[in-house]
Amino acid sequence: MNDLFTPHPENKEKDAAQRIKEEAERIELEKGNKPKVPENIFSKPIDVSQSDEARKSRLKIVIIEALIFGAFLTAITAIYSFTGLDLKLNPETANKTPSLLFFVAEFVVFSGLVGIGDYFMTEKRVNDYNQKMAGVNFNIDEEIKNALLEQEAEGITKEEADALNSSNGEEKPIPKEIPLEIRDVSESKNLTDKAFEAYEEGTFAGKIRSCKGVILDSAGLETIILSISEFHVPEEYAKNAVGIKLFEEMKKAAMSEGLGAISVSFDFNEKYGLCLSESSKYGITCKTQTCICEVYPGALMGINGELQID
């Protein structure tokens, strides 16, 4: 009976390790030191702040623009004043040329207003643009490298950081994608007979081939589309979404030939994760279970009938 209340040796060891860790953290806090905790490098916010160099360069441009604009307005005032072209409500009033102090004050005021307004407006535009583009031009490899250097400087080992990332359910960094070469191996110039093969570092990684498909409506009108007749991706390449990339190439071919849709068997759709809708959604019937992909939105609008595959 007592065995039920006896801690398992493994759990007891874990509890002791946890207590030691908590005690070490408490001591560090009492000393005023921040406990060293491995940082989850994939949860770091993307820095969108401007660099000091960029801000100085922009400030220099703003000052030049403000001075030019202030000088321009002051010059206009001077021209009106010295040539008698000033716009008075009463033309009979005698001309009074402003003093030099007036022109200096005008130049300073207008330059200051333009410069301050331009600076803050540009500041907002730059920050908004940086925020919008954050992640688009984001170099994840460089960020990971910098984060690891920071962790190393903090005395955090790679193993500790990996353990934290794993405990938080973070995925490992995605390895660099091996470029996939798509080759056009079409054997005829017929607009519906298309064939493409995929190669990864020279090794065959998949193939897709099409034939003619015809949607025949009740009035006897025909709409020609592409129909996938052959689709094969070796098991070891299926995880790399080779099938999707081959299908995208077929969509480009259909677009270039002015064909609005591609039909795919239900089995191909499921096997290669194309996520296409069944043909019945478009009002198109077929003898076998078939899925349809519009090459562009609305390509099958107003088109229905029976799909016949050559």
Side-chain angles (χ1 to χ4, degrees):
M1 186 70 177
N2 292 335
D3 291 339
L4 294 175
F5 299 96
T6 303
H8 191 277
E10 183 180 351
N11 294 335
K12 186 176 181 181
E13 182 180 348
K14 288 183 179 179
D15 293 340
Q18 182 65 27
R19 289 199 299 273
I20 292 171
K21 180 181 178 182
E22 292 174 357
E23 181 65 17
E25 291 178 355
R26 186 186 66 78
I27 293 173
E28 289 292 322
L29 287 172
E30 287 182 353
K31 292 180 180 179
N33 298 328
K34 183 180 178 182
K36 295 177 181 179
V37 179
E39 182 182 7
N40 186 344
I41 62 177
F42 301 106
S43 297
K44 290 182 65 178
I46 299 174
D47 184 17
V48 298
S49 59
Q50 303 170 60
S51 64
D52 291 337
E53 292 77 9
R55 185 172 279 106
K56 290 177 182 177
S57 175
R58 188 168 53 78
L59 182 60
K60 187 185 299 182
I61 294 173
V62 168
I63 291 174
I64 293 173
E65 289 177 347
L67 292 175
I68 292 174
F69 193 78
F72 174 72
L73 292 180
T74 304
I76 291 177
T77 305
I79 290 171
Y80 274 104
S81 300
F82 288 110
T83 60
L85 297 175
D86 51 331
L87 303 176
K88 297 189 294 293
L89 294 176
N90 186 358
E92 297 178 357
T93 304
N95 289 335
K96 292 183 180 181
T97 304
S99 65
L100 179 62
L101 181 61
F102 171 83
F103 290 118
V104 172
E106 181 184 36
F107 173 74
V108 172
V109 170
F110 279 116
S111 296
L113 290 175
V114 172
I116 293 172
D118 188 27
Y119 179 81
F120 286 106
M121 288 177 63
T122 307
E123 181 83 3
K124 183 178 185 305
R125 288 199 304 270
V126 171
N127 289 334
D128 289 346
Y129 178 80
N130 286 352
Q131 188 67 51
K132 178 182 177 182
M133 298 301 292
V136 177
N137 298 320
F138 178 57
N139 189 336
I140 183 64
D141 294 329
E142 189 67 24
E143 289 296 318
I144 292 174
K145 179 182 177 181
N146 292 336
L148 291 175
L149 289 175
E150 291 174 10
Q151 291 177 355
E152 184 179 349
E154 290 289 329
I156 299 169
T157 65
K158 181 178 181 299
E159 290 71 21
E160 289 173 329
D162 287 342
L164 179 69
N165 287 338
S166 299
S167 66
N168 287 346
E170 298 290 344
E171 296 181 359
K172 295 181 179 179
I174 300 174
K176 288 187 177 180
E177 183 180 0
I178 299 175
L180 190 69
E181 180 188 0
I182 306 293
R183 300 179 186 175
D184 187 344
V185 292
S186 305
E187 297 174 356
S188 72
K189 295 183 179 180
N190 193 311
L191 77 165
T192 56
D193 295 339
K194 305 294 180 182
F196 299 95
E197 291 182 352
Y199 290 86
E200 194 174 71
E201 294 187 325
T203 304
F204 176 78
K207 183 176 183 178
I208 189 170
R209 184 181 296 275
S210 68
C211 62
K212 182 179 179 181
V214 177
I215 301 174
L216 184 64
D217 66 10
S218 57
L221 296 176
E222 296 183 347
T223 301
I224 299 175
I225 66 171
L226 288 185
S227 182
I228 303 302
S229 57
E230 181 182 352
F231 205 169
H232 171 66
V233 177
E235 192 69 30
E236 60 270 26
Y237 292 104
K239 61 183 178 182
N240 295 341
V242 174
I244 294 176
K245 294 173 183 176
L246 282 169
F247 189 73
E248 287 298 321
E249 201 67 30
M250 191 62 74
K251 284 178 65 176
K252 294 178 185 177
M255 176 73 79
S256 66
E257 297 291 355
L259 303 176
I262 303 175
S263 70
V264 184
S265 71
F266 183 81
D267 292 339
F268 287 157
N269 179 58
E270 290 292 309
K271 186 174 182 179
Y272 299 115
L274 303 180
C275 301
L276 305 179
S277 300
E278 291 194 41
S279 58
S280 57
K281 175 184 175 181
Y282 299 94
I284 297 170
T285 60
C286 191
K287 294 179 180 178
T288 59
Q289 197 171 9
T290 306
C291 297
I292 293 285
C293 170
E294 287 185 307
V295 174
Y296 54 89
L300 293 176
M301 186 178 297
I303 298 175
N304 52 57
E306 182 182 359
L307 174 62
Q308 300 175 356
I309 301 173
D310 287 355

